[in-house]
């Protein structure tokens, strides 16, 4: 059975210094087993300036079993699935300890954004790009951060420019954006699946 007193205490601890860490955790509705965490993208990385949302589900055995965490915000990273948001991180699996908290888990995820482990990937395509075409990886990760982790409304030319920087031809980008009514996220998904 989930230790709800501990969860309440952890929520208070997480949200106490949110101004400093940028990390917060809140319950989804009134359910303390379904939470939403947010972490800022680390400075000096392609994720800088983004705010990433992480879905957290506490199993019945929490804190003796690790929380189930996955990115709700799309992110381009070797250890995070670009499709599902699943996270490959040892403390969320076999290295979990009841001494760890939701905050330490979120801090570890934030640290993972700073130092990817391409040799133990969750997303093989991203890991391959990271190892073979690092600058393209950085550009794509930055683009995904701009697109999915920052609330901004860009003009059409900026959308075209950003998609072209990812390696798509300008005419293909313009046609795809037109097909999806200017929705950059839908255009990107269509371009990636083409």
């Amino acid at each position: 059975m989930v230790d709800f007193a501990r969860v309440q205490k952890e929520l208070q601890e997480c949200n106490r210094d949110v101004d400093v860490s940028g990390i917060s955790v809140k319950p989804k509705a009134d359910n303390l087993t379904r939470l939403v965490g947010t972490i800022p993208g680390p400075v000096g990385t392609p994720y800088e300036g983004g705010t990433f949302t992480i879905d957290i589900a506490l199993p019945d055995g929490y804190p003796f079993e690790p929380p189930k965490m996955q990115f709700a915000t799309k992110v381009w990273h070797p250890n995070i699935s670009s499709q599902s948001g699943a996270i490959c991180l040892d403390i969320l699996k076999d290295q979990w300890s009841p001494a760890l908290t939701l905050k330490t888990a979120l801090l570890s995820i934030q640290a993972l954004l700073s130092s990817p482990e391409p040799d133990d990937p969750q997303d093989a395509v991203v890991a391959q790009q990271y190892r073979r075409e690092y600058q393209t990886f950085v550009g794509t990760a930055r683009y995904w951060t701009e697109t999915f982790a920052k609330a901004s409304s860009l003009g059409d030319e900026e959308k075209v420019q950003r998609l072209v920087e990812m390696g798509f031809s300008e005419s293909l980008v313009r046609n795809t954006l037109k097909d999806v009514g200017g929705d950059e996220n839908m255009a990107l998904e269509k371009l990636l699946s083409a």
Side-chain angles (χ1 to χ4, degrees):
M1 192 64 200
V2 174
D3 180 347
F4 290 114
R6 172 173 163 154
V7 174
Q8 287 280 16
K9 189 174 161 214
E10 283 194 43
L11 290 177
Q12 289 171 348
E13 179 194 318
C14 263
N15 299 321
R16 189 176 309 130
D17 64 350
V18 72
D19 296 340
V20 178
S21 69
I23 293 175
S24 70
V25 181
K26 295 185 175 32
K28 271 189 182 176
D30 291 335
N31 186 344
L32 282 182
T33 61
R34 308 282 303 159
L35 309 168
V36 178
T38 56
I39 59 171
V43 173
T45 70
Y47 313 103
E48 182 175 350
T51 300
F52 297 88
T53 304
I54 295 164
D55 282 328
I56 304 167
L58 300 181
D60 284 343
Y62 184 82
F64 300 101
E65 289 176 42
K68 307 231 180 304
M69 295 187 170
Q70 72 180 49
F71 275 80
T73 307
K74 288 176 81 75
V75 61
W76 190 256
H77 188 284
N79 307 107
I80 301 157
S81 169
S82 60
Q83 301 299 309
S84 70
I87 304 165
C88 180
L89 184 63
D90 57 0
I91 68 156
L92 295 179
K93 296 184 180 84
D94 56 347
Q95 296 299 310
W96 177 258
S97 153
L100 298 172
T101 63
L102 295 170
K103 184 167 186 175
T104 52
L106 290 170
L107 285 166
S108 297
I109 292 169
Q110 188 182 40
L112 184 67
L113 289 178
S114 293
S115 46
E117 297 283 344
D119 297 328
D120 185 19
Q122 175 71 37
D123 194 311
V125 173
V126 182
Q128 185 175 346
Q129 186 187 62
Y130 181 88
R131 287 197 298 263
R132 295 190 182 157
E133 302 170 52
Y134 184 73
Q135 288 310 320
T136 305
F137 161 79
V138 169
T140 306
R142 193 170 284 136
Y143 171 81
W144 279 42
T145 300
E146 291 287 330
T147 305
F148 303 114
K150 291 183 179 177
S152 66
S153 52
L154 291 176
D156 288 341
E157 287 309 308
E158 287 168 297
K159 292 178 192 174
V160 169
Q161 188 58 45
R162 291 205 328 211
L163 289 166
V164 167
E165 282 172 9
M166 290 178 67
F168 302 106
S169 76
E170 187 174 338
S171 61
L172 179 64
V173 166
R174 289 187 186 282
N175 289 336
T176 306
L177 276 168
K178 198 164 81 180
D179 290 347
V180 296
D183 184 318
E184 194 176 2
N185 299 344
M186 285 173 63
L188 176 61
E189 286 186 20
K190 199 167 177 181
L191 288 165
L192 288 172
S193 65

